[in-house]
């Protein structure tokens, strides 16, 4: 499963990683997997202010992602 | 209700954008615009060498277009024009132009205010300040979020 990061998350983890999954999983579970693989980013990836996005739509932590989908994690945005 | 909203990877001229808005808004009556520029010093007083706005490949343009369209609908605007930089911005350079044209000035003033409160808190960019002391990521302040809530 491809996972993309932006902003400060990309600084901590990288722009893109592959997470090995054998079955569909929830966003919540994915956050835990990423935190386990990248402990320095654990607090950031677990923050409710970091939103998950699949197919250009923000999804809840309960959303289940299939193996061929890409998940993006978006830190708090700031425009203007 | 004409909405013009774009992301600009290169510097833009606020004067040219205002001219473009005035040209299409010829018959409207009231035109208000705001320009946000990159500050040369951070909140802590440190010099800023550049502001960097990182966009998302699709969500950034969509968010700016949606905010502009929402402003046009909410305030009954005849025209709205938003230009938002992405990439590296030098101190003093324009970051954003937000303009609104309406039949009367109250709607135009409020729309410009609304546009900026929404852009500050909802436009999809990740912003960082870079200077001699290093770089750090910027998020909206509590005041920014409070200003946004005024419109709910």
């Amino acid at each position: 499963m491809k996972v993309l990061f932006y902003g400060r998350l990309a600084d901590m983890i990288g722009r893109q990683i592959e997470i090995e999954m054998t079955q569909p999983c929830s966003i919540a579970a994915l956050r835990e997997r990423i935190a386990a693989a990248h402990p320095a980013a654990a607090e950031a990836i677990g923050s409710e202010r970091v939103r998950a996005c699949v197919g250009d739509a923000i999804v809840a932590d309960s959303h289940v992602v299939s193996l061929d989908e890409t998940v993006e994690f978006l830190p708090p945005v700031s425009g203007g | 209700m004409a909405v013009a909203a774009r992301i600009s990877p290169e510097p833009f001229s606020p004067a040219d954008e205002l001219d473009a808005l005035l040209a299409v808004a010829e018959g409207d009556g009231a035109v208000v615009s705001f320009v946000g520029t990159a500050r040369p010093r951070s909140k802590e007083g440190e010099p800023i060498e550049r502001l960097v706005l990182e966009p998302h490949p699709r969500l950034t343009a969509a968010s700016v277009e949606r905010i502009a369209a929402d402003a046009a609908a909410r305030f009954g605007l005849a025209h709205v024009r938003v230009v938002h930089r992405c990439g590296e911005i030098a101190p003093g350079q324009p970051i954003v132009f937000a303009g609104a044209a309406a039949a009367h000035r109250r709607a135009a003033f409020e729309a410009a205010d609304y546009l900026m409160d929404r852009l500050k808190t909802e436009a999809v960019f990740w912003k960082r300040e870079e200077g001699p002391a290093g770089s750090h990521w910027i998020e909206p302040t509590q005041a920014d979020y409070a200003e946004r809530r005024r419109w709910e």
Side-chain angles (χ1 to χ4, degrees):
Chain A
M1 175 183 299
K2 201 161 69 164
V3 185
L4 305 182
F5 301 99
Y6 296 87
R8 60 187 159 92
L9 284 178
D11 277 1
M12 292 179 183
I13 301 173
R15 289 249 154 247
Q16 178 175 326
I17 63 173
E18 284 288 333
I19 292 279
E20 286 299 314
M21 298 303 249
T22 51
Q23 58 190 13
C25 70
S26 69
I27 293 292
L30 182 58
R31 288 185 196 252
E32 285 172 12
R33 284 289 304 273
I34 294 167
H38 302 271
E43 191 184 331
I45 199 68
S47 166
E48 64 175 16
R49 301 185 66 226
V50 167
R51 296 175 297 168
C53 184
V54 179
D56 290 350
I58 301 296
V59 296
D61 272 15
S62 54
H63 178 88
V64 175
V65 198
S66 53
L67 302 182
D68 59 347
E69 288 189 288
T70 296
V71 181
E72 298 177 298
F73 283 99
L74 317 182
V77 299
S78 183
Chain B
M1 191 174 86
V3 177
R6 77 177 196 278
I7 308 304
S8 179
E10 298 297 326
F12 69 89
S13 158
D16 288 353
E17 299 302 330
L18 180 57
D19 278 347
L21 179 57
L22 287 166
V24 297
E26 227 176 51
D28 295 345
V31 180
V32 172
S33 67
F34 173 88
V35 178
T37 63
R39 293 194 173 87
R41 291 193 173 270
S42 71
K43 282 203 296 283
E44 295 76 26
E46 297 299 316
I48 298 171
E49 286 172 350
R50 72 192 65 79
L51 188 66
V52 183
L53 293 186
E54 179 190 323
H56 182 282
R58 295 165 303 282
L59 297 182
T60 299
S63 67
V64 173
E65 287 163 13
R66 182 180 62 249
I67 291 166
D70 285 353
R74 179 168 178 151
F75 297 98
L77 302 178
H79 297 89
V80 59
R81 187 177 189 91
V82 176
V83 182
H84 202 304
R85 282 293 316 276
C86 67
E88 297 189 359
I89 304 163
Q93 290 299 299
I95 302 166
V96 60
F97 171 94
H104 300 286
R105 68 184 183 280
R106 187 56 45 221
F109 274 117
E110 291 194 345
D113 196 7
Y114 170 89
L115 281 166
M116 286 314 305
D117 287 344
R118 287 208 52 195
L119 287 168
K120 290 291 286 186
T121 55
E122 296 174 36
V124 178
F125 295 93
W126 293 281
K127 182 188 291 185
R128 70 176 186 275
E129 290 172 346
E130 295 185 348
S135 94
H136 63 275
W137 294 97
I138 300 296
E139 292 180 14
T141 62
Q142 287 307 314
D144 288 329
Y145 289 121
E147 304 269 4
R148 167 67 186 91
R149 282 193 295 273
R150 291 186 299 150
W151 301 102
E152 278 160 19

